Amino acid sequence: QHLISRRALHKGRAGPRLKTEPRLPDARRMAPSAISKFSNYAASQGRPDLAELLPTEEGAPVVIELGAANASRLLDDEDAEVIAEGSKDAGLWIEKVALPHHSVGDAGAAHLAKLSMCKALDLTANGLSAKGLEAITEAMTGVTSLKLGWNALGRAGGEIVAKAMGRPGCPLKELDLSHCEIDAPGLIAICAVLRHEETAPPIEILDLGSNKLFCETHEDVAKQVSTCVGLNKTLKVLRLRNLRFDDACAGYISDAIRVNKSLTEVDLSANRICAAGAAALAGALYDACFTARRKQMEPEPPLKKLDLSRNVVGDGGAAALAEMIAADPSLTELRVCNNGIRDEGGAALATACLAKTHLEYLAMWGNTFGPKACAAIDHLDNGDHDAFVDLDVRTYEVDGKLKASRANK
């Protein structure tokens, strides 16, 4: 039986990839027989199908990448051991391992940690705990991308990651710890490391969403996130969905947005942000735009994407966001789906897009669209103007009345 499903290979959605650029010095390229050595080792361990994870050509670093959806079976700790030991035995340089949604546990993580030259590790939704995470962070000190979402790492996991990030020279650029059951002290420990410019790793993508915050701790986390983001100069993408953040928390995040000059994407979806929180976020972008225009400069911060989907901003929040859109900040994508926005708010958002703006995409499906909103959406979509904003909503006519439906992708 093949490890990689035939359908996945046919559709081109899975399979090993060979990185061809940049070329490596001769001493670091795979020996001519490296792939066959690995295949023989895997077969000797009763896992011959693991050879399908390698490219068919020799001469460059190897990327091992196979999601569970494209595999004929789930990989486990024994498979991880064969991959690690077989690579070592064959002299392979494994540059990236991505095995999301398999069944690799702490023992498997300890084996994969032996791939010390690996630069990217994705074990999303496996069976890791803090013990497996510690093995990874202790051995794989050169990792630049670490994706461990949907593993039960707990508070200890947050503290272990913070300790690893605080080591001098930590090269980590991408960190995904979403859905890891990390509580407030664990998240705060991570934020504390990012506050110090001299020792903080060059993090560009940080996902802390859907972790274990209680009502009395979410504001403490928001304050710490705001402080570290405000001081950090490398962060580009910040994902904070489903952390029970309310208007006060949104206010703290807006303070960070005002001063951060590197942030391009913020995800605050599935929180508890109402009109006041939306107004605070809109105000941060509006003020930055106004100041930049007065100085004849580009807007700072250069935020491009803001996701407020599945909050409760309502018409009041929509009005504030509409005013911000019309002011023409740097924003190119705004998502406000499922936010309790009704006719007035929907009309305000659609009308604001008619102004000269950087905005390219507005998502607002899941709200209530009355006659005003439908008329404004129809004009934006079909009217004679120079606005080119793509919507996730389209209008249609029934008995002379405009109705709204979700746009086809």
Side-chain angles (χ1 to χ4, degrees), residues 41 45-47 50 73 75-85 103-105 107-108 111:
Y41 180 85
Q45 300 300 310
R47 297 287 198 278
L50 291 178
R73 65 178 180 86
L75 303 183
D76 56 20
D77 289 342
E78 293 183 8
D79 292 302
E81 181 179 6
V82 172
I83 290 171
E85 296 299 331
S103 296
V104 178
H111 288 299

Side-chain angles (χ1 to χ4, degrees), residues 303-321:
L303 195 68
K304 301 295 183 184
K305 298 180 180 181
L306 177 62
D307 191 347
L308 292 174
S309 299
R310 290 175 289 150
N311 281 283
V312 281
V313 305
D315 282 349
L321 292 168

Side-chain angles (χ1 to χ4, degrees), residues 30 42 47-48 50 57 63 92 129 133 189 202 224 227 229 280 290 295 342 351 379 394 397:
M30 294 188 298
R47 297 287 198 278
L50 291 178
E57 302 176 36
V63 173
L92 296 174
S129 69
L133 172 62
Q224 296 299 320
T227 301
V229 172
F290 180 80
K295 296 180 179 180
R342 304 185 72 82
T351 302
H379 180 59
R394 293 290 182 269
E397 192 172 316

Side-chain angles (χ1 to χ4, degrees), residues 110-390:
H111 288 299
L112 292 175
K114 298 175 185 177
L115 301 172
S116 57
M117 298 295 291
C118 186
K119 299 297 182 184
L121 180 63
D122 182 356
L123 291 177
T124 302
N126 276 269
L128 273 65
S129 69
K131 181 180 179 181
L133 172 62
E134 187 168 27
I136 291 170
T137 56
E138 288 293 332
M140 302 179 79
T141 55
V143 166
T144 59
S145 175
L146 186 60
K147 297 182 180 180
L148 299 176
W150 294 91
N151 287 288
L153 304 179
R155 176 188 297 187
E159 294 170 348
I160 289 169
V161 169
K163 178 182 176 182
M165 291 169 63
R167 295 187 188 121
C170 176
L172 195 63
K173 293 184 177 181
E174 180 177 12
L175 178 63
D176 181 356
L177 294 177
S178 59
H179 298 271
C180 286
E181 300 182 14
I182 302 175
D183 60 6
L187 296 179
I188 290 172
I190 294 171
C191 293
V193 175
L194 295 177
R195 271 191 254 161
H196 305 288
E197 181 182 349
E198 300 80 9
T199 56
I203 287 284
E204 296 180 359
I205 302 174
L206 179 63
D207 191 341
L208 301 177
S210 299
N211 272 296
K212 196 175 182 179
L213 298 188
F214 299 101
C215 291
E216 65 273 14
T217 61
H218 64 275
E219 192 168 335
D220 293 334
V221 172
K223 289 179 182 179
Q224 296 299 320
V225 170
S226 176
T227 301
C228 80
V229 172
L231 296 173
N232 190 277
K233 296 182 179 180
T234 61
L235 191 64
K236 295 180 180 179
V237 178
L238 178 63
R239 300 189 177 114
L240 302 170
R241 60 191 172 278
N242 193 24
L243 289 175
R244 299 190 178 191
F245 280 6
D246 56 16
D247 286 344
C249 297
Y252 294 127
I253 302 302
S254 68
D255 291 341
I257 289 175
R258 288 176 190 272
V259 297
N260 186 288
K261 298 181 180 180
S262 63
L263 205 59
T264 61
E265 180 179 339
V266 174
D267 182 355
L268 287 167
S269 60
N271 280 290
R272 301 176 180 181
I273 298 171
C274 300
L281 293 164
L285 291 170
Y286 182 92
D287 292 346
C289 176
F290 180 80
T291 302
R293 186 169 293 155
R294 187 177 60 187
K295 296 180 179 180
Q296 296 183 340
M297 297 169 57
E298 285 297 314
E300 291 184 357
L303 195 68
K304 301 295 183 184
K305 298 180 180 181
L306 177 62
D307 191 347
L308 292 174
S309 299
R310 290 175 289 150
N311 281 283
V312 281
V313 305
D315 282 349
L321 292 168
E323 185 178 0
M324 176 266 294
I325 292 172
D328 189 25
S330 56
L331 208 65
T332 60
E333 181 177 311
L334 175 63
R335 295 176 179 268
V336 289
C337 302
N338 300 96
N339 256 287
I341 299 171
R342 304 185 72 82
D343 202 27
E344 293 290 339
L349 286 168
T351 302
C353 294
L354 295 172
K356 182 182 178 183
T357 174
H358 284 83
L359 199 68
E360 298 173 359
Y361 181 71
L362 174 62
M364 54 180 179
W365 178 248
N367 295 293
T368 302
F369 304 105
K372 281 188 178 181
C374 287
I377 292 169
D378 184 67
H379 180 59
L380 176 62
D381 205 23
N382 304 307
D384 184 15
H385 50 73
D386 295 329
F388 297 97
V389 180
D390 194 17

